[in-house]
């Protein structure tokens, strides 16, 4: 399977715990995105990487959230001191070189986080 | 005001019907526009890009009105398999952030 891969698929954690999600993009894609989606809403932008550089981060992303893409390949999203409001589907997407018109986003299956 | 707004629906239509969705965007500098489709509990997938002159892909027609800052999607001869959430997506000029609307739910019934 050469699509975007996310792990784990599901994560249940207690409030206050830290969690880390991993995303493996399509191998030739240099751009990587993290989005969050809650029920009845569209994906909400969290952050964007071009290669290993984090070029954009949503103002909605609190200091408890951090993302890395150390070698420009896979990426991790960590949430510290989780809160119930963090419960959502966390989606990773990647796209290749070129403009958004000729290089669309490819999403992974997502990681569903439940904070109890 | 949200950057991208859509009527959430749901739109309940019979098979064979024609249905249209609209989407408005707030940033006049927006440059690229798309419709994504999301099935229940699945990831979003690109349905089609939206070009200034309008474009068609089989039963699907997308239109852009820059003056009024809205995008539309028309689905003709609806199929049961068209049932999904349709997400309007906008990208700013020179930017890499794609902003999604909340989605419009379509239910096609036999």
């Amino acid at each position: 399977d050469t699509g975007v891969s996310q792990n784990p698929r599901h994560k249940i954690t207690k409030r206050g715990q830290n969690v880390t999600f991993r995303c493996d993009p399509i191998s030739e894609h240099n751009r990587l995105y993290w989005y969050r989606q809650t029920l009845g809403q569209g994906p909400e932008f969290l952050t964007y990487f071009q290669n290993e550089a984090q070029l954009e981060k949503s103002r909605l992303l609190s200091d408890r959230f951090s993302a890395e893409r150390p070698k420009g390949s896979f990426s991790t999203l960590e949430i510290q001191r989780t809160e119930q409001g963090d419960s959502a589907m966390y989606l990773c997407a990647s796209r290749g070189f070129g403009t958004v018109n000729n290089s669309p986003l490819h999403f992974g299956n997502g990681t569903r986080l439940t904070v109890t | 005001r949200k950057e991208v707004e859509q009527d959430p629906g749901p739109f309940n239509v019979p098979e064979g019907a024609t249905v249209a969705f609209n989407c408005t965007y707030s940033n006049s500098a927006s440059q690229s526009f798309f419709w994504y489709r999301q099935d229940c509990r699945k990831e979003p997938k690109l349905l089609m890009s939206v070009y200034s002159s309008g474009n068609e892909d089989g039963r699907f027609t997308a239109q852009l009105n820059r003056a009024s800052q809205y995008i539309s999607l028309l689905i003709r001869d609806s199929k049961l398999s068209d049932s999904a959430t349709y997400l309007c997506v906008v990208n700013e000029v020179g930017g890499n952030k794609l902003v999604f609307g909340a989605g419009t739910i379509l239910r096609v019934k036999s």
Side-chain angles (χ1 to χ4, degrees), chain B residues 24-62:
Chain B
T24 58
Y25 59 95
S26 61
N27 189 342
S28 60
S30 297
Q31 186 72 10
S32 302
F33 310 91
F34 310 90
W35 285 101
Y36 274 68
R37 170 190 169 131
Q38 186 171 26
D39 293 302
C40 188
R41 298 184 180 278
K42 298 285 189 180
E43 73 277 17
K45 292 184 179 178
L46 177 66
L47 177 66
M48 59 195 302
S49 300
V50 185
Y51 300 119
S52 297
S53 55
N55 49 299
E56 189 174 304
D57 183 2
R59 297 181 293 108
F60 298 83
T61 301

Side-chain angles (χ1 to χ4, degrees), chain A residues 35-44 46 86-91 107 111-112, chain B residues 38 42-44 85 87 100-103:
Chain A
Y35 283 83
R36 175 174 63 190
Q37 187 173 26
T38 53
L39 193 63
Q41 298 299 314
E44 175 187 36
L46 294 179
D86 297 332
S87 296
M89 176 71 85
Y90 289 83
L91 292 163
F107 281 89
T111 293
R112 182 170 296 281
Chain B
Q38 186 171 26
K42 298 285 189 180
E43 73 277 17
T85 297
L87 298 160
F100 285 74

Side-chain angles (χ1 to χ4, degrees), chain A residues 7-36:
Chain A
N7 289 289
R9 292 293 304 274
H10 304 275
K11 178 70 177 179
I12 300 174
T13 191
K14 291 185 177 180
R15 189 177 55 185
Q17 298 295 305
N18 299 344
V19 293
T20 300
F21 311 142
R22 176 178 170 125
C23 171
D24 288 90
I26 293 172
S27 59
E28 59 269 26
H29 285 183
N30 66 329
R31 293 172 166 86
L32 186 147
Y33 299 74
W34 284 99
Y35 283 83
R36 175 174 63 190

